[in-house]
C-alpha cells in the first residue's frame, strides 16, 4: 500500500449516518462538538459555518462539502448574526432522518460522521485545519456528494451487506477530501501528509512504509529520493518536521502499538518483524516514542500518547 493508505488502515475509520437538515427562512442552529469528525454536503441553498476557535465564518454554497476535524462546537446559519437554537430542539424530533427548521424548503444538507476505531487519530487530524472546505467547482466534490448519498442510503435501507458498503464509501470520501486538501494551493503545512505531494520526499516515505524492517540508512533513503545525503536530510526535515530516521522510528512504533493492542503477538516477535535484533533495543525505542513500555501499552493505551507521532504541527 501507499503511505496514506497505510495510515488510514492503521486508524480504521468507521462511518455513521447523521440526520439531514431542511431549513427555511432565517435560521441559526448551534451544534455541540461532534463525536468524531463531521462530514457534510450542501445539497441546495447556502449558509454560514462558524466553528469555535476559528476567527472567521465560512460561506457554504450549494454543492459545497466540508469536513470538521476537531471536537469543537459549531454553528450553521442563514445569517451568523442571528440568535441560534440548540440542535437538539429539532434533531430530537427528526423524522425519516431529516431535521426540519422553520418548515424547510430553502436549504438542505446531508451528512455523516467518522470515528477512528484504531485510535491514534492525531497522526492524521493533527496536521489538518479545523475546517476542510471542498468548494463546488471541484470535480471531486461531485464524487463526494455521490458517495455520501449512497452511504446514507445503505445505512438507512438496512440491506444485506449495507454496513460494509457504507464503510467503503466512507473510506472513499475521506480519501478524496484529503487528496483535495493537500493538492490545494492554499494548503501549506508541515507533516507526512503534505510531504507526500513532494515527488522526492514522497518516494522516500513510500519506501519506508513498504519495508519498515529494512536496515535503512540516510544514504539509502537519499538514493531513493535521487538526492545527495545532505540535501535530502535538510529537505525531509523541512517537509515532514522530523529527521528521516526519527520518522522511521515513529512509524515502526505506530505499527508496533497497533499490533500490541490488537493481537496476541509476543513483544519479541513484534520487535524482530520491525527490524530490531533485540527486545531490549525495541523496548527502549518504544518507550522513548510512546511514553511507556510495550507491555504497559499492550494492557491499556495511555490517553494522548500518540499525539504528533508523525510530525504533526
Amino acid at each position: 500500500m501507499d503511505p496514506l493508505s497505510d495510515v488510514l488502515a492503521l486508524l480504521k475509520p468507521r462511518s455513521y449516518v447523521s440526520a439531514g437538515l431542511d431549513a427555511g427562512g432565517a435560521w441559526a442552529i448551534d451544534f455541540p462538538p461532534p463525536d468524531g469528525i463531521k462530514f457534510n454536503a450542501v445539497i441546495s441553498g447556502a449558509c454560514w459555518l462558524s466553528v469555535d476557535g476559528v476567527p472567521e465564518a465560512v460561506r457554504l454554497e450549494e454543492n459545497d462539502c466540508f469536513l470538521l476535524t476537531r471536537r469543537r462546537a459549531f454553528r450553521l446559519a442563514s445569517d451568523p448574526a442571528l440568535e441560534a437554537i440548540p440542535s437538539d430542539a429539532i434533531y430530537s424530533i427528526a423524522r425519516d432522518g431529516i431535521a426540519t427548521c422553520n418548515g424547510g424548503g430553502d436549504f438542505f444538507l446531508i451528512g455523516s460522521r467518522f470515528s477512528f476505531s484504531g485510535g491514534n487519530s492525531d497522526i492524521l487530524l493533527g496536521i489538518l485545519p479545523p475546517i476542510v472546505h471542498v468548494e463546488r467547482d471541484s470535480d471531486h466534490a461531485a464524487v463526494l456528494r455521490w458517495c455520501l448519498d449512497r452511504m446514507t442510503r445503505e445505512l438507512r435501507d438496512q440491506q444485506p451487506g449495507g454496513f460494509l458498503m457504507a464503510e467503503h464509501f466512507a473510506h472513499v470520501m475521506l480519501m478524496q477530501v484529503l487528496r483535495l486538501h493537500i493538492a490545494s494551493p492554499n494548503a501549506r503545512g508541515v507533516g507526512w501528509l503534505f510531504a507526500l505531494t513532494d515527488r522526492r520526499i514522497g518516494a522516500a516515505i513510500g519506501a519506508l512504509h513498504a519495508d519498515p524492517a529494512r536496515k535503512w540508512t540516510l544514504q539509502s533513503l537519499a538514493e531513493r529520493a535521487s538526492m545527495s545525503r545532505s540535501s535530502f536530510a535538510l529537505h525531509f526535515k523541512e517537509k515532514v518536521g522530523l529527521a528521516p530516521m526519527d520518522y522511521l522510528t515513529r512509524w515502526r512504533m505506530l505499527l508496533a502499538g497497533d499490533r500490541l493492542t490488537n493481537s496476541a503477538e509476543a513483544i519479541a516477535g513484534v520487535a524482530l518483524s520491525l527490524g530490531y535484533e533485540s527486545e531490549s533495543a525495541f523496548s527502549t525505542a518504544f518507550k522513548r516514542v510512546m511514553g511507556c513500555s510495550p507491555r504497559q501499552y499492550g494492557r491499556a493505551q495511555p490517553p494522548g500518547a500518540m499525539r504528533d507521532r508523525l510530525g504533526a504541527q
Side-chain angles (χ1 to χ4, degrees), residues 67-272:
L67 188 74
L68 302 180
T69 66
R70 305 285 192 275
R71 286 183 56 83
R72 298 181 183 180
F74 65 98
R75 173 179 294 186
L76 294 174
S78 60
D79 181 345
L82 292 171
E83 183 176 351
I85 63 171
S87 60
D88 187 60
I90 58 172
Y91 278 82
S92 62
I93 55 174
R95 300 184 62 183
D96 298 323
I98 304 296
T100 303
C101 182
N102 293 345
D106 296 325
F107 173 84
F108 189 70
L109 170 147
I110 57 175
S112 179
R113 64 181 173 86
F114 302 96
S115 65
F116 295 106
S117 59
N120 311 335
S121 61
D122 281 335
I123 67 174
L124 175 62
L125 302 183
I127 57 177
L128 295 175
I131 305 171
V132 177
H133 182 197
V134 181
E135 298 185 58
R136 57 181 173 176
D137 293 336
S138 167
D139 291 338
H140 295 279
V143 176
L144 290 169
R145 289 189 300 274
W146 181 84
C147 285
L148 183 56
D149 178 63
R150 292 304 312 168
M151 185 185 72
T152 302
R153 292 185 187 183
E154 290 291 345
L155 290 174
R156 287 189 178 141
D157 292 348
Q158 298 184 352
Q159 293 293 317
F163 182 79
L164 184 58
M165 287 284 287
E167 289 286 290
H168 287 309
F169 283 128
H171 289 200
V172 171
M173 288 191 297
L174 187 56
M175 191 75 73
Q176 287 284 67
V177 169
L178 295 175
R179 283 177 173 177
L180 284 168
H181 180 63
I182 62 178
S184 168
N186 298 322
R188 293 289 182 270
V190 175
W192 66 271
L193 180 63
F194 298 101
L196 297 180
T197 62
D198 183 293
R199 179 179 57 82
R200 296 175 297 178
I201 300 304
I205 292 176
L208 291 177
H209 279 247
D211 191 4
R214 181 173 173 173
K215 295 185 182 301
W216 291 104
T217 64
L218 190 59
Q219 181 61 42
S220 62
L221 287 171
E223 290 172 357
R224 289 298 181 105
S226 300
M227 301 174 70
S228 70
R229 190 171 68 171
S230 58
S231 295
F232 169 74
L234 179 62
H235 196 47
F236 192 102
K237 181 70 177 290
E238 289 175 346
K239 288 287 186 179
V240 180
L242 291 170
M245 305 317 292
D246 288 339
Y247 179 92
L248 172 60
T249 299
R250 281 155 175 73
W251 177 241
R252 285 172 169 173
M253 296 308 108
L254 284 171
L255 294 174
D258 181 64
R259 288 160 65 176
L260 290 170
T261 302
N262 297 300
S263 77
E265 191 172 357
I267 294 174
V270 173
L272 184 63

Side-chain angles (χ1 to χ4, degrees), residues 6 18 26 42 54 83 87 132 275 283:
D6 283 339
S18 299
V42 178
V54 178
E83 183 176 351
S87 60
V132 177
S283 296

